[in-house]
Amino acid sequence: MSKAEQLQEQIQEHLGESLLSCVLDLGEVTMEVAPEQLLKVCPVLRKHRDFEFTTLIDVCGVDYSEYGVAEWQTAAATGQGFSRGVDAQTAGRLHVQGEDLSVEQPAATRRFAAVYHLLSISNNLRLRLRCFAPDDDLPVIPSVTGVWTSANWYEREAFDLYGIIFEGHPDLRRILTDYGFIGHPFRKDFPLSGNVEVRYDADKQRVVYEPVSIEPRVLVPKVIRDEVERRG
């Protein structure tokens, strides 16, 4: 039995009632818990002798909006590059008249999740822990700063980039964008050009925020023809 398989069994033995799932894939264990179980599970993962995950490597926000739906087939891409567009979803595409543009949408799913990457130095183990926010409009997940102090900046980053609120965080505010920034840039519905632009106003002698002045660009491959058809 591998160490990953042994870890999976120990998690199911000690935390089985608190788990939503515990999967072993590609030699890595990923467990999922509900928000109300997060602060019950994390201290066990840190302190129990079978785990001793004393190091929190990272906390990542994830936006699962339209997960698995893509205009490009990337899963089977080869060394020669990605495939041509297979689902015409991007705004601005030149559609063929009468073309069926319907795209099968996946079943409704939870949108925002926090993913915790844990390391046990004493047991030489790694673990991925995932927790979904129950509300997509106001994603709230308990803060684990009381278990791992290193979560402080990681949770602020996930809040800044994804808008996930970590309840109980001692100082939840932006960390990468500035205080006048509007929106959360890693959300999939965030506009590529942003919502505001910043410049220094010499007359006011300060930085000012203004609506975005550039036009949105659609990154759709275009066909370039060397020969131009001549009219006879």
Side-chain angles (χ1 to χ4, degrees):
M1 178 184 296
S2 67
K3 297 192 69 173
E5 292 173 334
Q6 184 179 1
L7 174 60
Q8 183 185 29
E9 287 191 359
Q10 290 172 335
I11 290 175
Q12 292 171 339
E13 177 185 353
H14 297 296
L15 301 169
E17 296 181 355
S18 303
L19 295 177
L20 293 178
S21 66
C22 185
V23 180
L24 174 60
D25 189 20
L26 300 176
E28 297 181 347
V29 178
T30 301
M31 58 180 292
E32 182 179 331
V33 299
E36 57 270 18
Q37 297 293 330
L38 184 63
L39 295 184
K40 175 182 177 181
V41 166
C42 288
V44 177
L45 293 175
R46 178 181 175 121
K47 298 177 181 179
H48 197 284
R49 64 180 182 180
D50 288 341
F51 306 126
E52 295 185 351
F53 288 102
T54 57
T55 303
L56 175 65
I57 299 176
D58 195 11
V59 179
C60 304
V62 183
D63 182 357
Y64 283 91
S65 175
E66 296 187 356
Y67 179 74
V69 178
E71 184 171 352
W72 304 91
Q73 289 181 349
T74 57
T78 64
Q80 287 72 39
F82 296 121
S83 67
R84 296 296 300 239
V86 292
D87 291 326
Q89 301 179 80
T90 307
R93 282 182 61 105
L94 181 61
H95 301 131
V96 178
Q97 184 176 6
E99 181 181 3
D100 183 10
L101 303 181
S102 60
V103 177
E104 183 178 352
Q105 298 290 337
T109 183
R110 297 160 297 176
R111 180 175 179 181
F112 296 105
V115 180
Y116 308 81
H117 298 275
L118 306 176
L119 171 65
S120 172
I121 298 177
S122 57
N123 293 323
N124 190 24
L125 294 171
R126 293 179 184 269
L127 175 66
R128 183 183 298 109
L129 170 63
R130 181 171 59 182
C131 181
F132 276 93
D135 188 351
D136 294 345
D137 295 328
L138 185 63
V140 178
I141 295 175
S143 172
V144 297
T145 53
V147 183
W148 297 283
T149 55
S150 61
N152 191 316
W153 281 26
Y154 298 144
E155 291 180 349
R156 283 181 59 186
E157 182 181 47
F159 163 72
D160 192 357
L161 300 180
Y162 291 93
I164 300 174
I165 298 174
F166 292 91
E167 187 176 13
H169 190 284
D171 187 22
L172 192 63
R173 54 193 170 95
R174 292 186 182 274
I175 191 172
L176 296 178
T177 61
D178 61 279
Y179 297 127
F181 194 87
I182 298 177
H184 304 282
F186 276 19
R187 288 190 173 190
K188 291 184 179 179
D189 53 4
F190 186 82
L192 293 178
S193 57
N195 294 307
V196 295
E197 63 183 25
V198 181
R199 69 174 179 85
Y200 178 77
D201 191 305
D203 296 332
K204 298 180 179 179
Q205 296 186 350
R206 63 180 176 85
V207 173
V208 297
Y209 293 84
E210 297 176 339
V212 177
S213 59
I214 62 175
E215 296 182 0
R217 294 179 57 197
V218 179
L219 301 180
V220 178
K222 302 183 183 300
V223 177
I224 301 177
R225 295 182 174 86
D226 296 330
E227 298 181 359
V228 178
E229 181 179 357
R230 298 179 179 180
R231 297 181 179 180

